[in-house]
Amino acid sequence: MQRNQGCQQLDHQVARRQFLAGAAGGALAFSLSGSPVVAEQVHGQHKRILQVYLQGGVSQLESWDPKPGTEYGGPFRAIPTSVPGMHISELLPYTAQRMHHLSIVRSINLKTNDHKQGRLFMEKGRRAGEYPYVGSIASKYLAPAKAELPGYIHISTRGLSDSTSAFLGARHAQLKFIGVNPPKNLSLPKGLAQTAATRRMELRQQFNKQFETGRPKAMTETFDASFQQAEKLMARKTFFEKAPADKDLERYGKHDFGRNCLLARTLLENNATCVKVTHHGYDSHAENFNFHLEQLGEFDKTFSMLLDDLHERGMLESTLVMVYSEFGRTPKINVRYGRDHWGSAWSMALGGCGIQSGAIIGKTNDKGTAVEDREVDAGHLFHTYLQALGIDSTEDHEIAGRSVPIGDPAAQSIKELLA
Amino acid sequence: MSLRSNLKLLAFSAILIAVFAAPVSAETPLHERIDSALSSDDPQFEKQAAAPADDATFLRRITLDLTGSIPAAEKVRAFVADSSTDKRVQEIDRLLASPEYARRMQYVFDTMLMERHPDKHVPAKDWRNYLRHSFRDNRHWDDLVQEMLTVDGTDEKTRPAAKFLLDRELKAEQVTRDLGRLFLGRDLQCAQCHDHPNVNDYLQRHYHGLNAFLSRSYLFRDPKTKKTSIGEKAEGQVAFTSVFTKEEVKTAPRVLDLPEIHDPEIPEEPYKIKPAKNVRSIPVYSRRLQLADAITSTENQAFQNNIVNRLWAQMMGRGLVEPLDMWHSDNPPTHPEILKLLTAGLQEQDYDLRYLIRELALTQTYQRSSHRKEGPKSTDEPDYRVGLLKALSPEQLAWSMMQATGVRERTLAGLISKKMKDDPKNGSKITAEPLWQEEAVHDALWRNVDSFTVTFGSVGAQSSRFDASANQALFLLNGPLIQSWLVPGGNNLTARLKKLESDTEVAKELYLAVFSRFPEESETNQVVEFLKASQLETHQGIPELVWAALASDEFRFNH
């Protein structure tokens, strides 16, 4: 069967012309054009994403889908939440009081137990291939033309480096911060005075002016834009230098994750488009329970404070919040009291912008070994995130003569989760 | 000059003489036919086409394209001053015969075929050496592809060539997709699970037809040597269902719409080496070994079109089909007649890539200025009336900066004097070898190149679009590496400029070293003004001046 997915001849020619006009690119990526859907979005409120990535695979049984008193349930109880009838693990007492802001998807089946494959699937909504991450898509379609910050910032404490932007280009790739340390090369070189730095930039502009005469601008403008972005970042160096207020540290916690989430708040307040914070260390093949007690203790309070702050500032309505992993953990407890990789029946939480709050989507069976109802994979979740943000994920990326479906055409959004 | 390069030059002159001495009735050279094909249908063409680039611009462009770096300042002086009429042809041939050409092609084909993915089974160093030696020996494209797709990785001598298959771990989705993209110019990825949703020409059977060549092969890890190689089973069909229709279809190996290649009858004993625990099995009939023949077969137009299109894009800044791997009827080549000429030319010359690159370099099209003439219609369409800007690759940028700032020269001088001291008997002979020089400098400076690649390169599919990120600008603005090249020392550029008597001379030297040309009067004045203003403070002006030039648009692009 031939499937013609909203890409008739005419669309294709348009895409092609756009490319030609861009003379080998640049122009397209530079403006926010691309597709009409997108133009519409920019007029509305600036929408954002907060991603909290629990790296290694958080246990669904110790978090969003507890099964106390069952064969594989583990030692922890389930506690009621601010949503009547919704119970989560007692390891998340602060989050439990805020579940009216969030929803849970309990029926994820990725059919993979591999860290990398799971991570890429969750980020790209596709099992394989060169596709952009959610954050890069947000940078491309949601970041205002005059954004003060790069569109996709990832705060992490380790060096995992992914190629995140695929065909959307380097400007939409993640800018990675190692913890609260500023990005590399943010300070002027030693011995170079600010006046001299300004002067050399002006001279650079003078050189450029002569070169640009009689030449197409797309590429040179892209190059110049990277310097402007760099200078904006340099001007915001204080974000990284200013010690957080004691009161804030008290609330968020004096650990890395607390500090990273405070930086995330600052960035979101300053109109960053997608901020991802990675909380490392959930790969609990041994001592799963002690591990989660500690890890989730750190996550629970910090995340709750951040959620409160976004809510109080009126930002939650325009910020999609995702708490996710690359997979969950096996119901079966191994001989080292650990749980292993489990991509076939696990959960994530999401809320904020465009998401129905207080909902539970899908369920696993009594022992938690398989999805019993409303099975979804990362392809469905991917459509859901984007549609929550008002991006039509069934449209195509129109990039340089190539139409690529934004979301996997074989998957759809979880409609009942969309507000 | 070495004996070896002399021999090469001789060989080239022989070719040249052969071409020029040929009777007039013989066919016109390919480059002339390309030029006339571009302009023939359009009486406006000549009027609107940009003038030929001047000598200095031509030299910078061709040196970047064929050797991966800008030329040295003294080379620019000499070339501009040279009054011989065939100096461009001579220069092209000299560069094509240089060790730097093989290095440049190593970079180009490494990036094209491995797309900067991290190493898995074959070390990048071995693979790059293999590529470089292949281009040094001018091995032809069909020959190279044959080798890359047939080796199984067990023979140490050819193991580097197995990187294409081994480092993709023989994973169907990756190998099949990349065979389609990199050798056939077609990205069949979306056709894995269903006929392509947007491109009517890309069918699921195309994807699975390619996959069928490899479906019986598997990675084998030798328990003793711990080395991974490729084994193959004697059985296994390829069947597929569409995620939309659920209908099951079977296919034998095939390349796109060429006929299926059916297995011969299975003999009583189908194995040369039977499968067993810790044994790499080898069937009597190998499907995998059919792949290279099928792909490089003269019947397979897609294979020829793809490499021609990629080389055209490399030299001209844009493919006749763009994106390079989206060849289909709704995205036809912009100039089908040129494609035909190039493909026929390549076939006549048995897939000799150096021949094709030489012909492309000789065209007026390649040698046109990138400055648009006043007046004529804008170049929204890829009509090649005006030269296109090409962003320097990370490697080109690194080597060009090291050339401009004098780092390369200074390093080479140090290496030569060390070698002379270590080997006083043969030192001067050895260090005079261009090949020795290229490899010594490369080994000494590759770490610098690497830090550019990390910052400016990206893993995955290439495109001729240009992109730039804040990280890259920060690297240029404040990164310690470039700063260190600006500190005056030895005979480097800033040291040389500081020693000059007048600011006018500084301007001239700067322009030659960084922009590979002489400055115009207004440009000289600009530099003089800047130095005057900056010298009011401490004497910091010169490093800033060099920085601004290195970070400028003119330096960032091949123009």
Side-chain angles (χ1 to χ4, degrees):
Chain A
M1 189 185 80
Q2 286 278 337
R3 204 175 106 90
N4 220 330
Q5 219 255 180
C7 181
Q8 307 300 330
Q9 291 279 78
L10 184 66
D11 294 322
H12 224 90
Q13 281 162 8
V14 169
R16 188 175 158 77
R17 258 203 312 278
Q18 280 174 337
F19 165 68
L20 302 179
L28 265 183
F30 193 63
S31 66
L32 268 167
S33 61
S35 89
V37 204
V38 176
E40 234 176 63
Q41 290 146 17
V42 208
H43 294 305
Q45 196 187 1
H46 176 209
K47 291 174 177 164
R48 308 173 210 90
I49 308 181
L50 166 67
Q51 297 182 302
V52 182
Y53 171 47
L54 307 181
Q55 185 270 331
V58 71
S59 166
Q60 70 284 1
L61 294 158
E62 274 69 54
S63 58
W64 313 112
D65 192 12
K67 306 274 182 189
T70 65
E71 186 179 0
Y72 302 131
F76 301 114
R77 291 176 305 149
I79 53 171
T81 68
S82 58
V83 177
M86 180 195 277
H87 289 69
I88 62 172
S89 168
E90 65 171 328
L91 297 181
L92 300 169
Y94 285 93
T95 310
Q97 290 166 31
R98 290 158 180 84
M99 285 311 289
H100 55 283
H101 292 311
L102 301 172
S103 285
I104 304 175
V105 181
R106 280 181 174 159
S107 49
I108 308 175
N109 182 0
L110 295 192
K111 298 180 182 151
T112 178
N113 293 327
D114 179 89
H115 282 290
K116 190 175 174 197
Q117 278 176 27
R119 183 177 81 239
L120 296 181
F121 194 9
M122 286 300 282
E123 293 285 2
K124 302 176 177 190
R126 254 95 161 188
R127 284 186 195 283
E130 306 275 344
Y131 291 99
Y133 279 37
V134 178
S136 292
I137 291 180
S139 167
K140 160 101 178 138
Y141 295 110
L142 300 179
K146 295 205 163 148
E148 296 288 296
L149 286 164
Y152 179 19
I153 297 173
H154 179 192
I155 309 168
S156 156
T157 41
R158 286 191 214 159
L160 272 178
S161 218
D162 286 340
S163 152
T164 61
S165 59
F167 45 76
L168 295 182
R171 75 174 52 217
H172 300 298
Q174 67 175 9
L175 182 69
K176 194 159 164 197
F177 295 0
I178 301 298
V180 292
N181 297 320
K184 268 194 199 162
N185 303 317
L186 201 57
S187 307
L188 285 181
K190 267 190 201 124
L192 188 71
Q194 184 58 53
T195 45
T198 313
R199 200 166 46 218
R200 65 176 194 170
M201 276 301 271
E202 283 165 7
L203 181 63
R204 179 182 174 276
Q205 289 303 337
Q206 281 180 35
F207 281 137
N208 289 350
K209 221 171 260 163
Q210 265 147 320
F211 180 74
E212 281 159 15
T213 324
R215 288 193 165 98
K217 304 252 181 300
M219 287 171 128
T220 50
E221 274 174 1
T222 303
F223 188 41
D224 288 346
S226 72
F227 279 94
Q228 287 158 20
Q229 266 204 348
E231 289 196 303
K232 281 177 181 173
L233 271 177
M234 287 168 72
R236 278 159 192 76
K237 225 169 64 163
T238 46
F239 283 3
F240 313 100
E241 287 167 347
K242 211 169 70 187
D246 281 347
K247 206 180 75 198
D248 277 337
L249 268 185
E250 211 59 55
R251 290 174 61 230
Y252 277 65
K254 290 179 179 168
H255 38 73
D256 283 347
F257 185 60
R259 290 172 197 274
N260 293 349
C261 282
L262 273 171
L263 176 60
R265 190 188 74 184
T266 310
L267 294 167
L268 288 166
E269 282 169 348
N270 284 276
N271 269 323
T273 298
C274 178
V275 179
K276 171 173 167 179
V277 184
T278 293
H279 194 208
H280 288 283
Y282 285 87
D283 200 12
S284 53
H285 289 283
E287 293 291 332
N288 175 70
F289 304 104
N290 289 334
F291 234 86
H292 275 76
L293 188 64
E294 224 169 86
Q295 282 287 110
L296 285 175
E298 202 169 275
F299 162 80
D300 180 45
K301 176 144 188 244
T302 306
F303 172 68
S304 297
M305 297 304 115
L306 181 53
L307 204 59
D308 283 355
D309 288 351
L310 292 180
H311 176 57
E312 269 166 32
R313 287 157 172 75
M315 292 165 64
L316 201 50
E317 274 168 37
S318 55
T319 308
L320 172 72
V321 177
M322 303 162 48
V323 183
Y324 65 110
S325 288
E326 60 270 51
F327 44 55
R329 307 215 72 83
T330 47
K332 193 162 185 282
I333 300 159
N334 68 28
V335 290
R336 300 179 306 270
Y337 302 104
R339 295 191 192 269
D340 302 311
H341 300 177
W342 190 243
S344 48
W346 59 287
S347 318
M348 73 171 284
L350 64 175
C353 181
I355 295 290
Q356 182 78 255
S357 54
I360 298 175
I361 304 295
K363 70 186 231 195
T364 48
N365 64 15
D366 288 346
K367 289 185 175 179
T369 53
V371 171
E372 203 172 78
D373 180 37
R374 191 63 171 110
E375 179 173 307
V376 297
D377 67 21
H380 303 93
L381 291 166
F382 191 81
H383 279 281
T384 311
Y385 313 140
L386 297 183
Q387 290 184 20
L389 292 161
I391 298 173
D392 185 352
S393 56
T394 64
E395 281 272 318
D396 293 342
H397 296 289
E398 294 289 355
I399 307 294
R402 184 192 300 248
S403 296
V404 181
I406 296 178
D408 185 344
Q412 308 84 34
S413 65
I414 307 168
K415 289 256 156 32
E416 63 271 32
L417 196 51
L418 295 168
Chain B
M1 183 167 284
S2 73
L3 183 62
R4 194 163 168 174
S5 2
N6 268 329
L7 280 176
K8 280 202 175 146
L9 267 188
L10 272 179
F12 267 112
S13 327
I15 295 168
L16 280 181
I17 290 162
V19 169
F20 288 124
V24 193
S25 62
E27 250 191 311
T28 343
L30 182 57
H31 61 270
E32 286 179 25
R33 281 181 284 151
I34 293 170
D35 286 327
S36 51
L38 269 171
S39 60
S40 62
D41 310 338
D42 186 354
Q44 293 296 306
F45 193 95
E46 289 303 332
K47 227 168 74 193
Q48 293 171 347
D54 59 47
D55 282 342
T57 306
F58 166 79
L59 182 70
R60 181 182 190 267
R61 187 183 297 171
I62 194 73
T63 313
L64 273 166
D65 279 332
L66 298 191
T67 72
S69 168
I70 59 166
E74 61 269 31
K75 174 77 211 179
V76 181
R77 278 182 207 273
F79 189 75
V80 172
D82 185 349
S83 59
S84 46
T85 47
D86 64 341
K87 66 180 177 182
R88 291 195 182 192
V89 185
Q90 280 189 28
E91 187 59 22
I92 291 169
D93 288 335
R94 199 187 64 81
L95 296 177
L96 283 172
S98 70
E100 283 82 3
Y101 166 75
R103 179 73 68 180
R104 161 74 173 151
M105 296 305 270
Q106 169 210 305
Y107 285 139
V108 168
F109 278 79
D110 178 25
T111 317
M112 183 196 299
L113 296 172
M114 297 315 294
E115 305 194 314
R116 303 196 194 282
H117 285 286
D119 272 6
K120 286 264 166 62
H121 299 295
V122 176
K125 192 169 191 292
D126 298 349
W127 158 251
R128 288 172 187 157
N129 283 340
Y130 163 74
L131 284 176
R132 192 169 69 265
H133 293 153
S134 300
F135 281 100
R136 197 183 292 156
D137 300 341
N138 195 27
R139 288 184 62 188
H140 292 192
W141 179 234
D142 56 340
D143 177 29
L144 270 181
V145 174
Q146 275 278 351
E147 186 160 87
M148 281 185 249
L149 298 182
T150 49
V151 285
D152 57 26
T154 48
D155 181 352
E156 277 311 310
K157 257 187 13 216
T158 55
R159 185 171 167 84
K163 190 175 177 78
F164 184 85
L165 293 175
L166 285 180
D167 274 25
R168 286 172 171 84
E169 310 218 61
L170 271 181
K171 280 185 187 155
E173 71 247 23
Q174 224 190 330
V175 178
T176 308
R177 180 179 182 222
D178 290 348
L179 285 172
R181 289 174 49 236
L182 302 171
F183 296 122
L184 306 173
R186 283 156 175 82
D187 186 351
L188 302 170
Q189 174 170 262
C190 288
Q192 181 179 359
C193 315
H194 43 76
D195 288 348
H196 196 293
N198 299 337
V199 180
N200 293 335
D201 298 357
Y202 293 179
L203 305 179
Q204 215 177 343
R205 67 160 189 268
H206 294 153
Y207 179 94
H208 292 281
L210 278 179
N211 181 29
F213 284 105
L214 295 158
S215 59
R216 295 173 180 177
S217 296
Y218 60 93
L219 283 194
F220 170 78
R221 193 174 138 91
D222 190 308
K224 275 189 223 126
T225 64
K226 310 280 182 225
K227 280 210 166 156
T228 302
S229 58
I230 302 171
E232 188 172 351
K233 302 233 165 73
E235 284 162 88
Q237 295 302 324
V238 167
F240 55 94
T241 51
S242 164
V243 294
F244 296 118
T245 65
K246 313 288 179 212
E247 222 173 289
E248 187 168 303
V249 189
K250 282 196 171 67
T251 184
R254 68 189 298 179
V255 174
L256 303 176
D257 286 319
L258 293 173
E260 285 181 289
I261 299 166
H262 291 288
D263 295 346
E265 244 176 77
I266 301 174
E268 214 158 289
E269 181 39 73
Y271 283 101
K272 285 185 200 162
I273 298 175
K274 277 190 205 168
K277 195 171 179 259
N278 291 339
V279 171
R280 194 177 68 95
S281 61
I282 301 175
V284 174
Y285 173 77
S286 161
R287 272 198 179 180
R288 198 182 71 254
L289 291 182
Q290 313 307 310
L291 174 66
D293 282 342
I295 284 208
T296 58
S297 149
T298 43
E299 299 295 298
N300 183 17
Q301 200 75 37
F303 177 68
Q304 298 149 21
N305 289 343
N306 169 68
I307 191 65
V308 158
N309 192 45
R310 283 173 188 271
L311 290 185
W312 177 272
Q314 193 73 44
M315 295 294 278
M316 305 298 183
R318 173 168 51 201
L320 295 163
V321 169
E322 272 280 354
L324 302 180
D325 55 5
M326 285 306 271
W327 202 297
H328 60 89
S329 48
D330 291 339
N331 187 35
T334 53
H335 296 76
E337 69 286 16
I338 301 233
L339 183 70
K340 222 181 274 167
L341 281 174
L342 289 167
T343 309
L346 188 71
Q347 246 184 332
E348 273 162 33
Q349 300 293 325
D350 270 340
Y351 299 91
D352 180 346
L353 300 188
R354 184 149 70 185
Y355 158 80
L356 201 71
I357 290 171
R358 181 175 184 274
E359 288 300 317
L360 291 174
L362 286 172
T363 58
Q364 291 168 12
T365 310
Y366 175 79
Q367 298 190 17
R368 246 186 270 291
S369 165
S370 61
H371 257 296
R372 202 184 304 158
K373 273 188 195 169
E374 291 297 318
K377 66 167 191 161
S378 74
T379 50
D380 281 358
E381 306 228 330
D383 57 10
Y384 304 103
R385 280 160 223 254
V386 180
L388 291 172
L389 298 191
K390 293 176 284 191
L392 302 193
S393 69
E395 293 87 359
Q396 283 177 317
L397 191 60
W399 284 111
S400 297
M401 283 205 184
M402 291 193 282
Q403 177 69 59
T405 52
V407 170
R408 188 185 184 282
E409 215 179 303
R410 203 178 160 191
T411 307
L412 179 60
L415 291 165
I416 289 177
S417 77
K418 184 173 181 296
K419 183 78 193 171
M420 303 272 245
K421 221 187 275 166
D422 293 350
D423 187 358
K425 209 172 130 218
N426 303 311
S428 62
K429 203 175 133 225
I430 294 170
T431 56
E433 279 278 349
L435 190 60
W436 180 88
Q437 293 191 1
E438 198 281 332
E439 297 200 332
V441 169
H442 192 273
D443 289 350
L445 296 175
W446 70 268
R447 276 175 205 282
N448 294 343
V449 181
D450 229 35
S451 65
F452 274 72
T453 310
V454 167
T455 312
F456 292 88
S458 61
V459 180
Q462 282 182 286
S463 112
S464 27
R465 298 181 336 118
F466 171 66
D467 233 301
S469 69
N471 273 333
Q472 295 167 5
L474 288 169
F475 178 87
L476 296 175
L477 278 161
N478 307 327
L481 184 61
I482 292 167
Q483 290 308 314
S484 72
W485 296 342
L486 301 179
V487 177
N491 200 28
N492 75 2
L493 179 63
T494 40
R496 265 178 14 235
L497 295 180
K498 280 201 168 181
K499 279 184 214 139
L500 292 174
E501 298 274 309
S502 75
D503 289 352
T504 317
E505 274 179 74
V506 171
K508 199 200 253 179
E509 225 16 70
L510 173 83
Y511 267 74
L512 278 171
V514 180
F515 295 133
S516 314
R517 65 180 174 92
F518 290 99
E520 287 168 23
E521 202 187 319
S522 62
E523 292 170 327
T524 305
N525 294 339
Q526 190 175 293
V527 170
V528 173
E529 285 296 305
F530 177 82
L531 287 174
K532 234 190 255 163
S534 65
Q535 276 161 7
L536 292 176
E537 297 180 15
T538 48
H539 192 66
Q540 284 298 314
I542 284 184
E544 290 163 33
L545 178 70
V546 174
W547 180 88
L550 290 175
S552 71
D553 293 347
E554 182 167 349
F555 192 79
R556 185 72 184 84
F557 297 98
N558 192 357
H559 49 80

